[in-house]
Amino acid sequence: MADHMVVRLTACFFWMFPLALEAKLTYIAIRLPLKGEQAAPGAPWPLPRTWTKSTTRLMVDPTNFRFTSSMTYCDIVTSAFDRYYRILQLEKTSSLSGPEQVMTSLSVDIADKTCPGYPDPNMDESYNLTIGSTSRLTSATVWGALRGLETFSQLIYKEEEGHQLFVNKTQIIDQPRFHYRGIMLDTARHFLPMPILLKNLDAMAYNKFNVFHWHIVDDQSFPYESVEFPTLTEKGAYGPKLIYTQENVKHVIDEARLRGIRVIPEFDTPGHTQSWGKAFRSLLTPCWEDGKPGVAKPNYHGAYEIMDPSRDSTYTFMEKFIGEVVKVFPDQYLHLGMDESYPACWKSSPNITSFMKENNISTYVQLMELYVTKVLDIVERTNKSYVIWQDPIEDGTKAKPDTIVEVWRGNSTVPWQHYMTRIASQGYKTILSSCWYLNYISYGQDWRKYYQCEPQNFTGSADQHSNVIGGEACVWAEYIDGTNILSTLWPRASAVAERLWSSRDVTDVESAKFRLDQQRCRMVRRGIPAKPILDGYCGDYEFGFPESMGIYKQETQEEHPNTSAGSLVWSSSSLTFTLLLILAQKIVRIFYHL
């Protein structure tokens, strides 16, 4: 036996309703036990605004349980009920026994009987949940009902070594702290298959995120299928199967809507546009070297780079393209990028120099402002609003008052608070992403630093703090694809979810780790391969075990017509190696402790 002391603590970890579970964690402590208060059975994530707990419990009958609502004609409500019903039937429990009262229904009462077409930026997500002799979920809108159903699902638990489901009598009054709680995925550096995007929407709903920021194209590829300019996709995508068709995009938007999630696409210009130039080279500025156009200078500029702001045809193209995009994506906002537009190529071009002289433009910042202003004007004429990265505002560009500025810069030398103060002082609504770049990974519990990042922790007035409408976790895909995106993102993004949903004073990271571990196991049981944050395991449905392998079945094009042919799907056979590896690891652990 190892000569260090091994302290084994057994804890119950409890699942999404109806996915209750028992799970055992082994904590190794050399001298001291782990800090923090261990989570009670069925602890919800993110932590609700107010949560009145009780030790009195009810038994849940998964066979006869029913949701009731006067809004069953609304597809958002009926699809939510269907999702929970389908999962409920997976739970195998013994016959009910014991002195507890049996809970067989939850009444869902929604004040606004309108079935909305699409979630809006100011959607009301508040709800009240009472579990007792009469169990009731009330909300002003269907969006609040969705959040309340998710919380209810997490309250259900199974006792250790038991076979019956329980829920404690509970009173919850809840609403989000911030309206904007986003996840940004980059599908240009590496293509992310449709099943992965859809599974990620599930994970977002489990954590009460409400915005999918889709960074859909970039220098590397143009996987969006354009109707107006089909050669953009034909020449800019990695391949004919690695595209998001119009049907795919609609499917993502529809599935997101059913979960109360907005979809904001990003088409970044004038930089990050190499893939655009594969079909329309005239959009890009020819870079000069040794007196010749279209010649790259290593570590300085490419051969063709950054949109050409001197040509009227550039703006004619953008007007047609944006006109298409606003018809495809129903959200009020488009993300227009505008970041990292390095002027090296412009500086090398005698054509750009002549244009600047003719138009009394003395700096490249002013040239950038000319481009930005014209593109923003195009969007305004469509009656849409926009989100942009901080770069042009920081350089002095003036945008219309309802512009949302996303702050992404910050490091140990110049922290993000410096940039947030500068942007907020100009009166814009802001989103923070600087401290939530989850593509950067490290060994251990790096979720802690994400949990401890406070979006309003910068120098500014009360009005400037109130202009922070939320934030988002970003995953850039230089080293991310369908094989590792979900395990990279979750449950680290869950830490961001609680920071954006729960009250500002919810800051006990030591106690949060126990609830987060429950949430991680909850997601694993639901088919999300979320990485561990503590020692232990989530029961016999640890990801890769037969119970979880069935979550990803082989799906045909006929079953999911909106999935591109050739898209990656998970199947039992594809996880055989994973299963063998996990079993081998278990055997090694057993011998280690002998």
Side-chain angles (χ1 to χ4, degrees):
M1 177 176 289
D3 58 2
H4 57 265
M5 179 176 67
V6 178
V7 180
R8 295 178 180 174
L9 304 178
T10 301
C12 294
F13 279 71
F14 309 95
W15 283 112
M16 165 186 180
F17 168 64
L19 298 184
L21 72 144
E22 65 170 299
K24 300 174 183 177
L25 298 188
T26 300
Y27 302 129
I28 299 177
I30 303 302
R31 288 178 293 275
L32 299 173
L34 291 180
K35 297 178 181 179
E37 180 181 355
Q38 292 194 39
W45 187 281
L47 193 68
R49 184 63 56 94
T50 64
W51 179 18
T52 304
K53 308 174 189 178
S54 169
T55 57
T56 303
R57 65 185 188 180
L58 309 174
M59 298 180 70
V60 179
D61 182 355
T63 303
N64 299 311
F65 187 89
R66 294 292 180 269
F67 295 105
T68 63
S69 174
S70 60
M71 272 195 74
T72 54
Y73 67 88
C74 180
D75 62 340
I76 297 171
V77 176
T78 55
S79 66
F81 289 174
D82 287 345
R83 288 196 299 272
Y84 290 114
Y85 278 136
R86 286 197 304 269
I87 299 174
L88 178 59
Q89 301 312 311
L90 298 176
E91 187 62 47
K92 305 299 183 183
T93 62
S94 62
S95 59
L96 299 178
S97 63
E100 291 88 357
Q101 178 183 345
V102 177
M103 180 182 182
T104 58
S105 68
L106 176 69
S107 173
V108 180
D109 185 3
I110 303 169
D112 185 351
K113 303 303 181 184
T114 304
C115 188
Y118 184 79
D120 65 80
N122 295 310
M123 57 180 160
D124 186 344
E125 298 171 276
S126 62
Y127 67 90
N128 293 350
L129 177 62
T130 300
I131 305 299
S133 54
T134 300
S135 297
R136 187 181 184 193
L137 168 62
T138 63
S139 65
T141 69
V142 295
W143 314 124
L146 290 178
R147 307 308 175 222
L149 285 168
E150 178 56 37
T151 298
F152 174 66
S153 76
Q154 298 178 7
L155 295 173
I156 308 297
Y157 64 93
K158 181 186 291 185
E159 282 196 331
E160 181 186 351
E161 309 298 341
H163 300 284
Q164 294 171 344
L165 303 181
F166 297 98
V167 61
N168 286 14
K169 290 187 175 182
T170 304
Q171 174 69 47
I172 288 176
I173 302 173
D174 201 11
Q175 65 182 40
R177 180 181 171 204
F178 292 106
H179 281 298
Y180 190 108
R181 307 180 307 281
I183 294 289
M184 191 224 76
L185 298 186
D186 167 12
T187 59
R189 274 58 178 244
H190 283 95
F191 181 83
L192 297 179
M194 278 289 290
I196 298 296
L197 293 184
L198 298 177
K199 182 59 66 174
N200 191 63
L201 291 177
D202 283 334
M204 289 176 64
Y206 301 155
N207 291 275
K208 298 187 175 71
F209 282 102
N210 68 351
V211 177
F212 171 31
H213 170 183
W214 194 349
H215 186 89
I216 195 167
V217 304
D218 209 293
D219 280 326
Q220 291 75 14
S221 71
F222 198 103
Y224 167 75
E225 181 188 53
S226 173
V227 176
E228 188 73 33
F229 301 103
T231 53
L232 278 172
T233 315
E234 293 168 6
K235 296 185 177 182
Y238 284 132
K241 295 183 178 180
L242 303 180
I243 64 173
Y244 302 108
T245 67
Q246 290 289 310
E247 291 78 11
N248 292 155
V249 171
K250 183 179 184 302
H251 190 43
V252 169
I253 294 170
D254 289 345
E255 290 298 311
R257 168 184 169 268
L258 294 176
R259 291 157 180 78
I261 298 172
R262 301 161 56 201
V263 179
I264 298 180
E266 180 183 353
F267 292 93
D268 194 356
T269 67
H272 294 276
T273 48
Q274 283 285 309
S275 63
W276 303 56
K278 292 178 181 179
F280 296 94
R281 176 159 287 182
S282 62
L283 289 174
L284 304 184
T285 306
C287 309
W288 287 62
E289 178 64 10
D290 295 330
K292 298 178 181 180
V295 179
K297 182 178 181 180
N299 299 319
Y300 193 65
H301 60 62
Y304 291 83
E305 199 178 288
I306 197 167
M307 290 284 196
D308 189 338
S310 69
R311 299 168 62 96
D312 291 339
S313 57
T314 300
Y315 305 106
T316 301
F317 176 93
M318 290 301 296
E319 186 162 21
K320 290 182 179 179
F321 182 75
I322 289 173
E324 171 190 328
V325 169
V326 299
K327 294 176 182 177
V328 173
F329 292 91
D331 201 86
Q332 176 60 34
Y333 282 84
L334 300 179
H335 202 304
L336 299 175
M338 308 288 185
D339 65 313
E340 296 183 318
S341 298
Y342 303 117
C345 184
W346 284 346
K347 290 179 179 180
S348 74
S349 169
N351 297 335
I352 294 295
T353 300
S354 297
F355 174 81
M356 292 175 66
K357 289 181 179 178
E358 292 169 4
N359 290 273
N360 296 316
I361 298 173
S362 58
T363 68
Y364 294 100
V365 170
Q366 291 175 336
L367 182 62
M368 176 67 176
E369 184 172 12
L370 171 71
Y371 176 85
V372 171
T373 301
K374 287 192 173 185
V375 172
L376 298 189
D377 286 345
I378 291 171
V379 176
E380 286 187 46
R381 290 196 292 272
T382 68
N383 295 318
K384 293 281 189 174
S385 305
Y386 41 77
V387 185
I388 59 176
W389 299 105
Q390 71 186 73
D391 306 43
I393 301 299
E394 191 175 338
D395 290 336
T397 298
K398 299 298 181 184
K400 68 176 184 175
D402 68 341
T403 300
I404 297 175
V405 180
E406 184 163 5
V407 176
W408 67 274
R409 288 178 172 167
N411 53 46
S412 58
T413 303
V414 183
W416 64 263
Q417 288 90 339
H418 167 79
Y419 297 107
M420 184 66 92
T421 298
R422 290 182 60 183
I423 301 299
S425 66
Q426 299 182 52
Y428 294 106
K429 301 290 186 183
T430 56
I431 298 168
L432 177 66
S433 62
S434 302
C435 52
W436 293 320
Y437 270 34
L438 303 191
N439 47 290
Y440 294 115
I441 61 174
S442 60
Y443 188 79
Q445 298 186 46
D446 62 352
W447 67 270
R448 290 171 174 263
K449 63 183 178 183
Y450 306 130
Y451 190 81
Q452 293 172 315
C453 179
E454 169 50 52
Q456 293 179 333
N457 183 25
F458 63 92
T459 302
S461 66
D463 286 343
Q464 290 165 4
H465 286 164
S466 67
N467 278 337
V468 180
I469 64 170
E472 65 182 19
C474 299
V475 180
W476 300 99
E478 289 90 347
Y479 307 102
I480 302 289
D481 66 3
T483 65
N484 63 347
I485 177 64
L486 294 177
S487 59
T488 299
L489 188 56
W490 306 104
R492 298 154 82 233
S494 302
V496 183
E498 183 151 290
R499 183 56 48 235
L500 295 174
W501 178 280
S502 303
S503 298
R504 182 170 180 170
D505 60 0
V506 177
T507 57
D508 184 352
V509 67
E510 297 300 341
S511 295
K513 68 175 176 284
F514 296 108
R515 287 188 299 106
L516 181 57
D517 214 12
Q518 280 198 36
Q519 178 72 349
R520 179 258 163 177
C521 287
R522 189 176 287 130
M523 286 190 287
V524 169
R525 181 63 177 91
R526 299 178 185 186
I528 307 299
K531 293 174 64 174
I533 67 162
L534 293 173
D535 300 328
Y537 69 101
C538 293
D540 290 339
Y541 37 77
E542 189 85 31
F543 199 81
F545 274 64
E547 289 80 356
S548 68
M549 288 164 65
I551 295 293
Y552 290 121
K553 67 171 185 172
Q554 184 68 41
E555 296 170 329
T556 66
Q557 189 75 9
E558 182 177 287
E559 289 174 307
H560 284 282
N562 288 322
T563 300
S564 297
S567 292
L568 173 68
V569 296
W570 291 82
S571 64
S572 297
S573 59
S574 68
L575 291 173
T576 300
F577 178 76
T578 302
L579 173 59
L580 293 174
L581 179 61
I582 293 174
L583 291 175
Q585 291 173 335
K586 298 290 184 184
I587 293 172
V588 170
R589 291 173 185 167
I590 291 172
F591 278 101
Y592 175 75
H593 288 295
L594 290 177

